[in-house]
Amino acid sequence: MRVLVIGSGVGGLACAIRLAAMGLQVLVLEKLDGPGGRARVHRAEGFTFDMGPTVITVPPFLEDLFATGPGNPRLYPDFPEEEGLKATARYVKLVPLDPFYRIHFPDGTHFDYKDDREHLLSEIRRLAPEDLPGYLRFEADAKAIFRRGFLELGFTHFGSLLDLLRVAPDLLRLDAVRPLFSFVKKYFKNPKMRRVFSFESLLIGGNPLAVPAIYAMIHFVERTWGVHFALGGTGALVQGMVRKLEELGGKIRYRAPVRRILTRKGRAVGVVLEDGERIDADLVVSNADYVHTYGELLAPEDRRLHGDWRLKRTRLSMSLFVAYFGFRARGDEGERLKHHNVLLSERYEGLLLDIFARKVLPEDFAHYLHLPTLTDPSLAPPGHHAAYTLVPVPHNGSGLDWRVLGPMYLEKALRYLDERGFLPGLVDRLVYTHYITPDYFQWTLNSHLGNAFGPEPVLWQTASFRPHNRSEDVKGLYLVGQSYQPGAGLPSVLMSAKMTARLIAHDLGLERAPKGLREAWV
């Protein structure tokens, strides 16, 4: 049985690996000249830059993926022991980061975020002692949300509203449906602590003012398994996944953009490429953006539940401006900065409203500054650093002209790092720059309006309300990745791949759920 996977992002590759382990004939079709999708790599003048995700959490999910083998697709919820990561180590080396992030405040203070509870308490005591009792209450409540929302329900495919109604009482009891920032404000009085314990939803495209408080579980996802980095960059992880797929007999074709998913009598039967080539298949899996998949790859007559009316109502996540830069090292970069840095602005709520609601480009901005050569010097020539700084911006529904704004914003972002003392003298030490804008996401990655994370994870686009991994419109069409359940972020995308592969196995009668497994998991 032949399966076509559209897109070689992490979700597409992970799903393809599990399908190949089932014994299916898998061909991945990739528009670009290399794998990774959002996790592509940019190389220039001796520098290596990850263009996408760099925060690796829940290494057991990768261990579970790399431990698959012929006839053993490992389709059911599992959290393998992290110790050793023996299967993963055959493909990529992960190293833990300490701290996870250094969060910088405008007044020059910072908060080092890590999994050491006593350290977290000491950081709170140093910056906001009045919030120690509040943190202890937050810790207990966030842990309860983590246990229910991640450990128990994380692998659940919410295929109907009934699936959500079964768990809604628990989520209401845990207060997990109110907005995250509102939830955090219950526990913390200090503005700094409110930012520290709410900003992480931005890493998956979610506005802390709007996403449900179930995302408070991220605190315990990171505390439980840590934050890691793949030596060689996330691109090394992608290459490891490609090697795993090929070992299982799967194949990838590059420069093979899909123009249309073909159907016959309501069933997917293959695809047509941009050059007119037709490739037949028994099943099609799309790792492409939700609006692009339904709005561009399917004919209007093939869409009933996902017609234009629904696509237009979809609220999309924000986009990103990312500046990639190589510079001469001075030797003191690690004194103020760490591998992952969050540079907060004077405003928080107002800045978020500008980006998500008003869709205007703020005069001020917050950065996520990635400096991986503090961990892996091989990513830059000797005596140099490779870095990127990421700034959340509105998607292209804003009407902003990035052809004009791009060069100006690049200069502004790099001068900010220099003049604010994060990288003193940076402008004079630069040897290479490159940048991407929402236009890159829209036209290179086929992401509607240049959104960076798919549908925004607001309450009414979560669980049963998020696009499903099995198409309701076209039989034999399945979906995987950040646009679909459970959502964006590396752990969720790996969960999505397992969900989608499990649905396919269930529909083909290739796998039965282990005894006692709840029906919601299939």
Side-chain angles (χ1 to χ4, degrees):
M1 177 170 282
R2 189 175 203 188
V3 182
L4 298 178
V5 178
I6 302 171
S8 67
V10 170
L13 290 174
C15 187
I17 287 169
R18 296 192 189 274
L19 296 178
M22 287 183 210
L24 303 180
Q25 184 183 350
V26 179
L27 175 62
V28 179
L29 299 171
E30 171 56 51
K31 170 188 175 182
L32 303 174
D33 60 1
R38 280 169 172 74
R40 293 176 71 211
V41 173
H42 177 68
R43 293 184 176 90
E45 299 183 21
F47 297 97
T48 299
F49 302 97
D50 285 325
M51 297 194 76
T54 59
V55 178
I56 297 176
T57 57
V58 200
F61 283 1
L62 291 171
E63 179 71 4
D64 181 58
L65 179 69
F66 286 122
T68 59
N72 181 26
R74 302 173 68 97
L75 297 178
Y76 290 92
D78 192 11
F79 292 88
E81 290 297 323
E82 182 179 345
E83 187 176 353
L85 294 175
K86 295 178 181 178
T88 303
R90 295 199 295 268
Y91 299 91
V92 65
K93 183 176 181 181
L94 301 181
V95 294
L97 297 181
D98 183 12
F100 302 160
Y101 318 98
R102 174 164 284 181
I103 302 167
H104 300 259
F105 301 103
D107 64 2
T109 59
H110 68 263
F111 185 104
D112 281 345
Y113 200 128
K114 59 172 71 177
D115 56 357
D116 183 323
R117 183 174 186 269
E118 289 307 313
H119 172 83
L120 286 175
L121 294 175
S122 70
E123 290 288 86
I124 296 169
R125 190 177 296 113
R126 178 172 63 86
L127 293 174
E130 70 276 15
D131 278 337
L132 271 174
Y135 174 75
L136 297 178
R137 290 186 290 111
F138 171 82
E139 180 185 47
D141 291 351
K143 188 172 186 178
I145 291 173
F146 164 72
R147 284 175 171 166
R148 185 65 174 135
F150 192 84
L151 295 180
E152 297 178 18
L153 296 176
F155 287 100
T156 301
H157 182 254
F158 290 90
S160 71
L161 184 58
L162 183 60
D163 294 332
L164 178 60
L165 293 176
R166 289 192 185 107
V167 302
D170 286 348
L171 299 180
L172 289 168
R173 176 178 55 81
L174 293 169
D175 200 18
V177 297
R178 79 152 69 193
L180 175 62
F181 191 66
S182 173
F183 179 84
V184 167
K185 285 171 67 175
K186 292 194 306 178
Y187 307 95
F188 301 102
K189 300 174 183 176
N190 190 293
K192 292 180 179 179
M193 295 304 102
R194 290 176 174 180
R195 298 180 184 196
V196 164
F197 294 102
S198 67
F199 85 92
E200 287 167 306
S201 67
L202 287 164
L203 301 179
I204 58 170
N207 177 0
L209 305 181
V211 301
I214 194 168
Y215 288 103
M217 67 185 177
I218 296 174
H219 180 62
F220 266 92
V221 170
E222 294 181 340
R223 276 189 52 183
T224 302
W225 292 291
V227 170
H228 292 70
F229 180 71
L231 291 183
T234 307
L237 170 61
V238 170
Q239 289 298 333
M241 295 174 72
V242 169
R243 182 155 66 92
K244 179 69 179 182
L245 174 62
E246 291 174 342
E247 288 173 356
L248 291 167
K251 297 180 180 179
I252 305 179
R253 275 185 60 180
Y254 300 110
R255 299 184 180 90
V258 174
R259 185 176 72 206
R260 182 58 57 91
I261 297 170
L262 297 173
T263 64
R264 184 185 303 124
K265 296 181 180 179
R267 173 172 286 277
V269 294
V271 304
V272 172
L273 303 185
E274 289 287 354
D275 63 6
E277 179 185 357
R278 174 180 174 137
I279 305 176
D280 295 328
D282 300 289
L283 300 173
V284 176
V285 178
S286 177
N287 184 211
D289 175 75
Y290 164 64
V291 178
H292 178 72
T293 296
Y294 278 101
E296 301 293 334
L297 299 185
L298 284 172
E301 59 267 24
D302 288 326
R303 298 183 284 122
R304 180 172 51 88
L305 292 178
H306 298 273
D308 290 348
W309 62 273
R310 183 168 180 176
L311 301 182
K312 290 175 182 177
R313 288 181 63 248
T314 301
R315 191 157 124 184
L316 299 171
S317 68
M318 85 287 197
S319 193
L320 303 171
F321 174 91
V322 189
Y324 305 89
F325 56 102
F327 61 99
R328 293 187 299 275
R330 221 171 61 168
D332 60 352
E333 286 79 12
E335 293 179 9
R336 185 170 185 189
L337 299 174
K338 298 298 181 184
H339 185 117
H340 295 302
N341 303 272
V342 178
L343 317 182
L344 295 170
S345 69
E346 293 283 353
R347 299 187 304 150
Y348 189 63
E349 291 127 292
L351 186 68
L352 293 171
L353 288 171
D354 282 350
I355 295 166
F356 285 89
R358 302 182 188 112
K359 292 184 175 53
V360 298
L361 196 60
E363 285 298 316
D364 57 339
F365 45 36
H367 292 241
Y368 157 58
L369 174 60
H370 183 228
L371 191 53
T373 37
L374 291 178
T375 303
D376 185 357
S378 72
L379 300 174
H384 291 74
H385 282 293
Y388 79 57
T389 192
L390 175 157
V391 181
V393 296
H395 62 57
N396 277 342
S398 65
L400 295 168
D401 187 348
W402 284 103
R403 293 170 298 180
V404 174
L405 290 171
M408 298 165 49
Y409 219 60
L410 172 67
E411 181 180 1
K412 182 178 179 179
L414 296 178
R415 285 198 175 279
Y416 178 91
L417 298 177
D418 184 332
E419 294 170 1
R420 294 296 181 97
F422 295 108
L423 289 169
L426 172 64
V427 172
D428 293 331
R429 292 190 281 149
L430 287 170
V431 297
Y432 177 78
T433 60
H434 176 70
Y435 67 90
I436 61 174
T437 71
D439 290 346
Y440 166 82
F441 290 94
Q442 181 164 356
W443 303 115
T444 301
L445 298 181
N446 292 337
S447 194
H448 187 61
L449 293 181
N451 79 82
F453 300 92
E456 187 183 344
V458 289
L459 184 61
W460 51 272
Q461 293 184 158
T462 299
S464 300
F465 302 122
R466 195 168 187 84
H468 296 179
N469 303 46
R470 178 201 283 127
S471 176
E472 303 94 330
D473 288 337
V474 178
K475 292 184 183 300
L477 174 61
Y478 298 84
L479 303 311
V480 66
Q482 66 174 14
S483 282
Y484 311 99
Q485 293 183 30
L490 192 62
S492 292
V493 166
L494 292 171
M495 284 177 159
S496 179
K498 178 176 272 198
M499 286 180 188
T500 300
R502 190 172 67 238
L503 289 167
I504 291 171
H506 180 70
D507 292 348
L508 296 178
L510 298 177
E511 180 95 4
R512 290 186 176 274
K515 187 177 180 180
L517 190 64
R518 293 180 309 125
E519 183 63 23
W521 283 350
V522 297

